[in-house]
Amino acid sequence: MKNNRRNFIKELGILGMAGVTLPPGQSVNSQTVVIPNHLQKVKKTTPVNIGLIGAGGMGMSDLKTALEVPDINLIAVCDLYQARLERAKSLWGNTLLTTTDYNVLLQNEDIDAVIIATPDHLHKKISVDALKADKHVYCEKPMLHSINEGNELVNAWKKSGKVYQVGSQGLSSLGNEKAKELLEQGAIGNLNYAEGFWARNSPVGAWQYPIPEDASSDTIDWERFIEEAPNHSFDPVRFFRWRNYLDYGTGMAGDLFVHLFSSLHFITNSLGPTKIAAMGGLRFWKDGREVPDVLLGMFDYPNTKNHPGFNLSLRCNFVDGTSGNTYLRLVGDKGAMDIEWDRVVLRKNEPVSMDDPFSKEKAGQITPSEQRKKMLPPPEMIYEAEKGYKGAHYDHFSNFFEAIRNGNTLIEDPEFGFRAAAPALLCNQSYLENTILGWDPEKMKII
């Protein structure tokens, strides 16, 4: 019977399933496989001293994760809001260097690398300055506020010889790695369509972040905040809810679509789409923001040596009554995959052969009252991360620090980051201009 079950699984055409067993009572149409955790192979543990530039929500999350990696030392924190600097000292001690001027960190010879988690409009300038100051860089996605900044940043990185990781943290996930493996093995056949969805339904999820009571021109360095943006009088709403304003943020596409582009490009080895179109609207959060709260994007990926031609559909909804839905789905001519950072669900639509001994045996057990055929789901394989998995965010920082220490290959260097950011930024442009845009993903320029 064990051999029959094994043959049945093989007949389904599901690949890479060594060690699969069927628990008692579990349907043959659904099985679960554990994705093994990464083996932490640290060649050497040379300490890496870091500084944080931008200590808001994402910056503090990045810092917390970075410090979980062995032998990472925090030297300094930079932020434009005094309360964040005070909080940093309360967490890591009064000897921590704090400042509102990021150049203080770049001039500090004890700092090897910086994490840049500022609003988007400051990413390029601080990144270039950090590379010129001989610092390694981990910069939050999108690494650009404008496509025009892309080549300057890529060239600065190449010239510097430093390690630069773009912070689309889900990219390093076990889920993405398993999906890439399954696609290469032909588990869903030829890819022809992909879709991604990101849903939220809360004020904070829609970037309506709280405004601190002490927010004022005395506690916030407003001049440094608008240094790379059009001049504007002090406004704490624009400072704390910067994602809602085009002077500083990149909207839904730059914040969320870019994650989906990053994962898709990693899994498929794609350089990106050649045609971009978008539409959407401001449906609920009419709080003065300049960006939509519902956005739909359509993208055409041409046939290349790395993948067949396929279409991509992305959607983001900040007023979704179901809330919390996030996925990337790849659809081929033989099946589909729903991909999350710690889970992949593979569904196969190929018919099951009744010549299989296990199928014949099960068919022989049917009683006359059960002869009517039933509606059956496609065979389904669920891959789940092994217990104890530290998560994609940790793996992304581990990859960054191992590249600094041992020169291993980065998963998301600036060229990869540019190719993931560009279609997201063009999605915004298509929406604002109500037009279809062309992009050359190989040469990284607008057509």
mmCIF file of all heavy atoms in Angstrom, residues 393-431:
data_model
loop_
_atom_site.group_PDB
_atom_site.id
_atom_site.type_symbol
_atom_site.label_atom_id
_atom_site.label_comp_id
_atom_site.label_asym_id
_atom_site.label_seq_id
_atom_site.Cartn_x
_atom_site.Cartn_y
_atom_site.Cartn_z
ATOM 1 N N HIS A 393 12.270 38.330 6.826
ATOM 2 C CA HIS A 393 12.964 39.557 7.215
ATOM 3 C C HIS A 393 14.356 39.229 7.774
ATOM 4 O O HIS A 393 15.360 39.857 7.419
ATOM 5 C CB HIS A 393 12.120 40.291 8.254
ATOM 6 C CG HIS A 393 12.370 41.759 8.316
ATOM 7 N ND1 HIS A 393 11.608 42.615 9.083
ATOM 8 C CD2 HIS A 393 13.308 42.548 7.742
ATOM 9 C CE1 HIS A 393 12.047 43.853 8.965
ATOM 10 N NE2 HIS A 393 13.090 43.840 8.161
ATOM 11 N N TYR A 394 14.410 38.223 8.625
ATOM 12 C CA TYR A 394 15.688 37.793 9.200
ATOM 13 C C TYR A 394 16.615 37.269 8.096
ATOM 14 O O TYR A 394 17.813 37.591 8.067
ATOM 15 C CB TYR A 394 15.449 36.715 10.251
ATOM 16 C CG TYR A 394 16.715 36.173 10.886
ATOM 17 C CD1 TYR A 394 17.272 36.785 12.002
ATOM 18 C CD2 TYR A 394 17.352 35.047 10.354
ATOM 19 C CE1 TYR A 394 18.434 36.296 12.583
ATOM 20 C CE2 TYR A 394 18.519 34.555 10.929
ATOM 21 C CZ TYR A 394 19.059 35.179 12.035
ATOM 22 O OH TYR A 394 20.213 34.689 12.601
ATOM 23 N N ASP A 395 16.077 36.454 7.206
ATOM 24 C CA ASP A 395 16.898 35.900 6.128
ATOM 25 C C ASP A 395 17.452 36.991 5.218
ATOM 26 O O ASP A 395 18.578 36.889 4.717
ATOM 27 C CB ASP A 395 16.082 34.906 5.299
ATOM 28 C CG ASP A 395 15.856 33.587 6.027
ATOM 29 O OD1 ASP A 395 16.573 33.325 7.020
ATOM 30 O OD2 ASP A 395 14.976 32.815 5.609
ATOM 31 N N HIS A 396 16.648 38.045 5.001
ATOM 32 C CA HIS A 396 17.089 39.133 4.122
ATOM 33 C C HIS A 396 18.274 39.869 4.747
ATOM 34 O O HIS A 396 19.247 40.201 4.058
ATOM 35 C CB HIS A 396 15.924 40.087 3.891
ATOM 36 C CG HIS A 396 15.970 40.788 2.571
ATOM 37 N ND1 HIS A 396 16.096 40.139 1.363
ATOM 38 C CD2 HIS A 396 15.895 42.115 2.253
ATOM 39 C CE1 HIS A 396 16.094 41.011 0.375
ATOM 40 N NE2 HIS A 396 15.985 42.225 0.892
ATOM 41 N N PHE A 397 18.201 40.112 6.052
ATOM 42 C CA PHE A 397 19.331 40.760 6.721
ATOM 43 C C PHE A 397 20.529 39.820 6.820
ATOM 44 O O PHE A 397 21.682 40.257 6.710
ATOM 45 C CB PHE A 397 18.924 41.264 8.105
ATOM 46 C CG PHE A 397 18.439 42.684 8.095
ATOM 47 C CD1 PHE A 397 17.103 42.982 8.251
ATOM 48 C CD2 PHE A 397 19.325 43.736 7.911
ATOM 49 C CE1 PHE A 397 16.648 44.297 8.235
ATOM 50 C CE2 PHE A 397 18.897 45.053 7.894
ATOM 51 C CZ PHE A 397 17.544 45.330 8.050
ATOM 52 N N SER A 398 20.277 38.543 7.033
ATOM 53 C CA SER A 398 21.384 37.579 7.067
ATOM 54 C C SER A 398 22.139 37.574 5.748
ATOM 55 O O SER A 398 23.372 37.543 5.714
ATOM 56 C CB SER A 398 20.855 36.175 7.366
ATOM 57 O OG SER A 398 20.356 36.098 8.685
ATOM 58 N N ASN A 399 21.394 37.614 4.645
ATOM 59 C CA ASN A 399 22.013 37.668 3.329
ATOM 60 C C ASN A 399 22.867 38.924 3.178
ATOM 61 O O ASN A 399 23.994 38.887 2.644
ATOM 62 C CB ASN A 399 20.918 37.618 2.258
ATOM 63 C CG ASN A 399 21.450 37.753 0.847
ATOM 64 O OD1 ASN A 399 21.145 38.724 0.150
ATOM 65 N ND2 ASN A 399 22.239 36.790 0.408
ATOM 66 N N PHE A 400 22.363 40.056 3.673
ATOM 67 C CA PHE A 400 23.092 41.322 3.610
ATOM 68 C C PHE A 400 24.401 41.256 4.388
ATOM 69 O O PHE A 400 25.482 41.595 3.879
ATOM 70 C CB PHE A 400 22.194 42.434 4.154
ATOM 71 C CG PHE A 400 22.852 43.779 4.316
ATOM 72 C CD1 PHE A 400 23.424 44.427 3.234
ATOM 73 C CD2 PHE A 400 22.877 44.419 5.555
ATOM 74 C CE1 PHE A 400 24.005 45.687 3.376
ATOM 75 C CE2 PHE A 400 23.449 45.673 5.706
ATOM 76 C CZ PHE A 400 24.023 46.297 4.617
ATOM 77 N N PHE A 401 24.328 40.786 5.630
ATOM 78 C CA PHE A 401 25.528 40.765 6.468
ATOM 79 C C PHE A 401 26.525 39.703 6.022
ATOM 80 O O PHE A 401 27.739 39.903 6.147
ATOM 81 C CB PHE A 401 25.141 40.572 7.933
ATOM 82 C CG PHE A 401 24.415 41.750 8.524
ATOM 83 C CD1 PHE A 401 23.185 41.598 9.168
ATOM 84 C CD2 PHE A 401 24.953 43.028 8.438
ATOM 85 C CE1 PHE A 401 22.516 42.686 9.711
ATOM 86 C CE2 PHE A 401 24.293 44.128 8.973
ATOM 87 C CZ PHE A 401 23.069 43.955 9.604
ATOM 88 N N GLU A 402 26.028 38.589 5.491
ATOM 89 C CA GLU A 402 26.957 37.580 4.970
ATOM 90 C C GLU A 402 27.678 38.088 3.725
ATOM 91 O O GLU A 402 28.831 37.743 3.472
ATOM 92 C CB GLU A 402 26.212 36.277 4.669
ATOM 93 C CG GLU A 402 25.919 35.439 5.903
ATOM 94 C CD GLU A 402 27.198 35.085 6.654
ATOM 95 O OE1 GLU A 402 28.016 34.320 6.114
ATOM 96 O OE2 GLU A 402 27.386 35.587 7.781
ATOM 97 N N ALA A 403 27.015 38.922 2.936
ATOM 98 C CA ALA A 403 27.671 39.523 1.781
ATOM 99 C C ALA A 403 28.786 40.461 2.226
ATOM 100 O O ALA A 403 29.851 40.536 1.604
ATOM 101 C CB ALA A 403 26.650 40.279 0.932
ATOM 102 N N ILE A 404 28.551 41.195 3.312
ATOM 103 C CA ILE A 404 29.582 42.079 3.853
ATOM 104 C C ILE A 404 30.759 41.264 4.381
ATOM 105 O O ILE A 404 31.927 41.578 4.129
ATOM 106 C CB ILE A 404 28.995 42.964 4.981
ATOM 107 C CG1 ILE A 404 27.969 43.943 4.412
ATOM 108 C CG2 ILE A 404 30.109 43.715 5.714
ATOM 109 C CD1 ILE A 404 27.222 44.743 5.463
ATOM 110 N N ARG A 405 30.460 40.195 5.112
ATOM 111 C CA ARG A 405 31.504 39.417 5.775
ATOM 112 C C ARG A 405 32.262 38.502 4.810
ATOM 113 O O ARG A 405 33.481 38.370 4.897
ATOM 114 C CB ARG A 405 30.879 38.563 6.877
ATOM 115 C CG ARG A 405 30.450 39.343 8.102
ATOM 116 C CD ARG A 405 29.568 38.513 9.002
ATOM 117 N NE ARG A 405 29.374 39.136 10.311
ATOM 118 C CZ ARG A 405 28.344 38.903 11.102
ATOM 119 N NH1 ARG A 405 27.403 38.045 10.739
ATOM 120 N NH2 ARG A 405 28.253 39.517 12.269
ATOM 121 N N ASN A 406 31.520 37.857 3.924
ATOM 122 C CA ASN A 406 32.134 36.785 3.130
ATOM 123 C C ASN A 406 31.998 36.943 1.624
ATOM 124 O O ASN A 406 32.449 36.082 0.876
ATOM 125 C CB ASN A 406 31.522 35.439 3.542
ATOM 126 C CG ASN A 406 31.711 35.162 5.019
ATOM 127 O OD1 ASN A 406 32.807 35.231 5.529
ATOM 128 N ND2 ASN A 406 30.611 34.874 5.725
ATOM 129 N N GLY A 407 31.366 38.016 1.185
ATOM 130 C CA GLY A 407 31.282 38.268 -0.239
ATOM 131 C C GLY A 407 30.301 37.394 -0.989
ATOM 132 O O GLY A 407 30.424 37.238 -2.213
ATOM 133 N N ASN A 408 29.305 36.817 -0.306
ATOM 134 C CA ASN A 408 28.341 35.991 -1.023
ATOM 135 C C ASN A 408 27.407 36.862 -1.857
ATOM 136 O O ASN A 408 27.357 38.080 -1.699
ATOM 137 C CB ASN A 408 27.523 35.126 -0.043
ATOM 138 C CG ASN A 408 26.638 35.950 0.873
ATOM 139 O OD1 ASN A 408 27.124 36.820 1.579
ATOM 140 N ND2 ASN A 408 25.349 35.691 0.850
ATOM 141 N N THR A 409 26.659 36.249 -2.755
ATOM 142 C CA THR A 409 25.812 36.981 -3.686
ATOM 143 C C THR A 409 24.595 37.563 -2.980
ATOM 144 O O THR A 409 23.914 36.879 -2.222
ATOM 145 C CB THR A 409 25.344 36.055 -4.823
ATOM 146 O OG1 THR A 409 26.494 35.512 -5.486
ATOM 147 C CG2 THR A 409 24.491 36.813 -5.830
ATOM 148 N N LEU A 410 24.315 38.822 -3.266
ATOM 149 C CA LEU A 410 23.125 39.467 -2.709
ATOM 150 C C LEU A 410 21.882 38.996 -3.452
ATOM 151 O O LEU A 410 21.930 38.748 -4.658
ATOM 152 C CB LEU A 410 23.230 40.973 -2.848
ATOM 153 C CG LEU A 410 24.009 41.740 -1.784
ATOM 154 C CD1 LEU A 410 24.059 43.208 -2.163
ATOM 155 C CD2 LEU A 410 23.376 41.581 -0.414
ATOM 156 N N ILE A 411 20.775 38.927 -2.739
ATOM 157 C CA ILE A 411 19.536 38.542 -3.380
ATOM 158 C C ILE A 411 18.854 39.729 -4.046
ATOM 159 O O ILE A 411 18.093 39.577 -4.996
ATOM 160 C CB ILE A 411 18.580 37.859 -2.375
ATOM 161 C CG1 ILE A 411 17.455 37.144 -3.114
ATOM 162 C CG2 ILE A 411 18.038 38.859 -1.361
ATOM 163 C CD1 ILE A 411 16.638 36.232 -2.256
ATOM 164 N N GLU A 412 19.118 40.980 -3.566
ATOM 165 C CA GLU A 412 18.432 42.149 -4.123
ATOM 166 C C GLU A 412 19.361 43.358 -4.200
ATOM 167 O O GLU A 412 19.287 44.279 -3.389
ATOM 168 C CB GLU A 412 17.186 42.490 -3.290
ATOM 169 C CG GLU A 412 16.284 43.495 -3.964
ATOM 170 C CD GLU A 412 14.978 43.718 -3.239
ATOM 171 O OE1 GLU A 412 14.844 43.281 -2.084
ATOM 172 O OE2 GLU A 412 14.080 44.347 -3.829
ATOM 173 N N ASP A 413 20.221 43.344 -5.197
ATOM 174 C CA ASP A 413 21.135 44.466 -5.383
ATOM 175 C C ASP A 413 20.403 45.607 -6.104
ATOM 176 O O ASP A 413 19.235 45.473 -6.484
ATOM 177 C CB ASP A 413 22.391 44.020 -6.143
ATOM 178 C CG ASP A 413 22.108 43.553 -7.569
ATOM 179 O OD1 ASP A 413 21.140 44.041 -8.196
ATOM 180 O OD2 ASP A 413 22.852 42.681 -8.068
ATOM 181 N N PRO A 414 21.050 46.768 -6.302
ATOM 182 C CA PRO A 414 20.351 47.908 -6.893
ATOM 183 C C PRO A 414 19.799 47.682 -8.297
ATOM 184 O O PRO A 414 18.762 48.277 -8.639
ATOM 185 C CB PRO A 414 21.429 49.008 -6.893
ATOM 186 C CG PRO A 414 22.249 48.691 -5.691
ATOM 187 C CD PRO A 414 22.341 47.188 -5.701
ATOM 188 N N GLU A 415 20.443 46.873 -9.110
ATOM 189 C CA GLU A 415 19.877 46.601 -10.430
ATOM 190 C C GLU A 415 18.563 45.841 -10.302
ATOM 191 O O GLU A 415 17.572 46.157 -10.981
ATOM 192 C CB GLU A 415 20.869 45.821 -11.289
ATOM 193 C CG GLU A 415 22.006 46.670 -11.810
ATOM 194 C CD GLU A 415 22.865 45.949 -12.817
ATOM 195 O OE1 GLU A 415 23.038 44.721 -12.690
ATOM 196 O OE2 GLU A 415 23.375 46.620 -13.746
ATOM 197 N N PHE A 416 18.551 44.830 -9.440
ATOM 198 C CA PHE A 416 17.310 44.101 -9.183
ATOM 199 C C PHE A 416 16.270 45.054 -8.597
ATOM 200 O O PHE A 416 15.098 45.054 -8.994
ATOM 201 C CB PHE A 416 17.576 42.939 -8.220
ATOM 202 C CG PHE A 416 16.397 42.021 -8.021
ATOM 203 C CD1 PHE A 416 16.380 40.759 -8.582
ATOM 204 C CD2 PHE A 416 15.305 42.418 -7.266
ATOM 205 C CE1 PHE A 416 15.297 39.912 -8.408
ATOM 206 C CE2 PHE A 416 14.208 41.588 -7.075
ATOM 207 C CZ PHE A 416 14.203 40.326 -7.661
ATOM 208 N N GLY A 417 16.689 45.875 -7.640
ATOM 209 C CA GLY A 417 15.773 46.807 -6.996
ATOM 210 C C GLY A 417 15.196 47.829 -7.953
ATOM 211 O O GLY A 417 14.019 48.210 -7.849
ATOM 212 N N PHE A 418 16.007 48.303 -8.906
ATOM 213 C CA PHE A 418 15.548 49.256 -9.915
ATOM 214 C C PHE A 418 14.480 48.607 -10.793
ATOM 215 O O PHE A 418 13.436 49.203 -11.086
ATOM 216 C CB PHE A 418 16.742 49.727 -10.746
ATOM 217 C CG PHE A 418 16.447 50.851 -11.701
ATOM 218 C CD1 PHE A 418 15.230 51.519 -11.697
ATOM 219 C CD2 PHE A 418 17.409 51.255 -12.614
ATOM 220 C CE1 PHE A 418 14.975 52.563 -12.584
ATOM 221 C CE2 PHE A 418 17.170 52.293 -13.507
ATOM 222 C CZ PHE A 418 15.942 52.946 -13.497
ATOM 223 N N ARG A 419 14.743 47.353 -11.182
ATOM 224 C CA ARG A 419 13.794 46.659 -12.064
ATOM 225 C C ARG A 419 12.485 46.311 -11.354
ATOM 226 O O ARG A 419 11.459 46.129 -12.012
ATOM 227 C CB ARG A 419 14.449 45.402 -12.642
ATOM 228 C CG ARG A 419 15.546 45.713 -13.656
ATOM 229 C CD ARG A 419 16.047 44.460 -14.348
ATOM 230 N NE ARG A 419 16.895 44.790 -15.474
ATOM 231 C CZ ARG A 419 18.216 44.619 -15.513
ATOM 232 N NH1 ARG A 419 18.831 44.096 -14.452
ATOM 233 N NH2 ARG A 419 18.917 44.948 -16.579
ATOM 234 N N ALA A 420 12.525 46.207 -10.034
ATOM 235 C CA ALA A 420 11.292 45.977 -9.280
ATOM 236 C C ALA A 420 10.558 47.288 -9.021
ATOM 237 O O ALA A 420 9.317 47.339 -9.032
ATOM 238 C CB ALA A 420 11.606 45.286 -7.957
ATOM 239 N N ALA A 421 11.310 48.367 -8.783
ATOM 240 C CA ALA A 421 10.693 49.661 -8.486
ATOM 241 C C ALA A 421 10.105 50.325 -9.719
ATOM 242 O O ALA A 421 9.061 50.984 -9.641
ATOM 243 C CB ALA A 421 11.723 50.587 -7.839
ATOM 244 N N ALA A 422 10.768 50.156 -10.861
ATOM 245 C CA ALA A 422 10.350 50.880 -12.067
ATOM 246 C C ALA A 422 8.900 50.615 -12.469
ATOM 247 O O ALA A 422 8.138 51.571 -12.685
ATOM 248 C CB ALA A 422 11.304 50.560 -13.217
ATOM 249 N N PRO A 423 8.454 49.358 -12.595
ATOM 250 C CA PRO A 423 7.055 49.155 -12.982
ATOM 251 C C PRO A 423 6.068 49.665 -11.936
ATOM 252 O O PRO A 423 4.945 50.055 -12.283
ATOM 253 C CB PRO A 423 6.944 47.641 -13.182
ATOM 254 C CG PRO A 423 8.106 47.053 -12.454
ATOM 255 C CD PRO A 423 9.183 48.080 -12.518
ATOM 256 N N ALA A 424 6.483 49.686 -10.668
ATOM 257 C CA ALA A 424 5.617 50.241 -9.626
ATOM 258 C C ALA A 424 5.470 51.751 -9.810
ATOM 259 O O ALA A 424 4.361 52.298 -9.744
ATOM 260 C CB ALA A 424 6.189 49.923 -8.248
ATOM 261 N N LEU A 425 6.582 52.430 -10.050
ATOM 262 C CA LEU A 425 6.532 53.878 -10.257
ATOM 263 C C LEU A 425 5.796 54.232 -11.542
ATOM 264 O O LEU A 425 5.052 55.221 -11.600
ATOM 265 C CB LEU A 425 7.950 54.448 -10.282
ATOM 266 C CG LEU A 425 8.761 54.263 -8.990
ATOM 267 C CD1 LEU A 425 10.175 54.797 -9.157
ATOM 268 C CD2 LEU A 425 8.073 54.937 -7.809
ATOM 269 N N LEU A 426 5.980 53.406 -12.581
ATOM 270 C CA LEU A 426 5.271 53.637 -13.834
ATOM 271 C C LEU A 426 3.772 53.369 -13.682
ATOM 272 O O LEU A 426 2.958 53.955 -14.392
ATOM 273 C CB LEU A 426 5.856 52.764 -14.939
ATOM 274 C CG LEU A 426 7.253 53.162 -15.416
ATOM 275 C CD1 LEU A 426 7.803 52.131 -16.393
ATOM 276 C CD2 LEU A 426 7.226 54.538 -16.072
ATOM 277 N N CYS A 427 3.425 52.495 -12.752
ATOM 278 C CA CYS A 427 2.025 52.251 -12.450
ATOM 279 C C CYS A 427 1.376 53.538 -11.934
ATOM 280 O O CYS A 427 0.265 53.908 -12.352
ATOM 281 C CB CYS A 427 1.921 51.134 -11.415
ATOM 282 S SG CYS A 427 0.266 50.494 -11.153
ATOM 283 N N ASN A 428 2.074 54.238 -11.049
ATOM 284 C CA ASN A 428 1.578 55.528 -10.567
ATOM 285 C C ASN A 428 1.450 56.530 -11.705
ATOM 286 O O ASN A 428 0.452 57.251 -11.814
ATOM 287 C CB ASN A 428 2.530 56.097 -9.511
ATOM 288 C CG ASN A 428 2.437 55.378 -8.186
ATOM 289 O OD1 ASN A 428 1.409 54.805 -7.848
ATOM 290 N ND2 ASN A 428 3.520 55.390 -7.430
ATOM 291 N N GLN A 429 2.469 56.566 -12.558
ATOM 292 C CA GLN A 429 2.460 57.517 -13.664
ATOM 293 C C GLN A 429 1.311 57.221 -14.633
ATOM 294 O O GLN A 429 0.643 58.137 -15.118
ATOM 295 C CB GLN A 429 3.803 57.466 -14.402
ATOM 296 C CG GLN A 429 3.941 58.512 -15.500
ATOM 297 C CD GLN A 429 5.331 58.506 -16.124
ATOM 298 O OE1 GLN A 429 6.314 58.088 -15.507
ATOM 299 N NE2 GLN A 429 5.425 58.967 -17.356
ATOM 300 N N SER A 430 1.077 55.942 -14.897
ATOM 301 C CA SER A 430 -0.026 55.555 -15.777
ATOM 302 C C SER A 430 -1.361 56.002 -15.199
ATOM 303 O O SER A 430 -2.237 56.509 -15.916
ATOM 304 C CB SER A 430 -0.024 54.030 -15.980
ATOM 305 O OG SER A 430 -1.172 53.611 -16.676
ATOM 306 N N TYR A 431 -1.523 55.822 -13.888
ATOM 307 C CA TYR A 431 -2.762 56.243 -13.218
ATOM 308 C C TYR A 431 -2.950 57.759 -13.315
ATOM 309 O O TYR A 431 -4.036 58.245 -13.662
ATOM 310 C CB TYR A 431 -2.737 55.796 -11.761
ATOM 311 C CG TYR A 431 -3.780 56.451 -10.896
ATOM 312 C CD1 TYR A 431 -5.109 56.064 -10.964
ATOM 313 C CD2 TYR A 431 -3.424 57.481 -10.019
ATOM 314 C CE1 TYR A 431 -6.076 56.689 -10.178
ATOM 315 C CE2 TYR A 431 -4.386 58.106 -9.234
ATOM 316 C CZ TYR A 431 -5.707 57.704 -9.312
ATOM 317 O OH TYR A 431 -6.648 58.331 -8.543
#
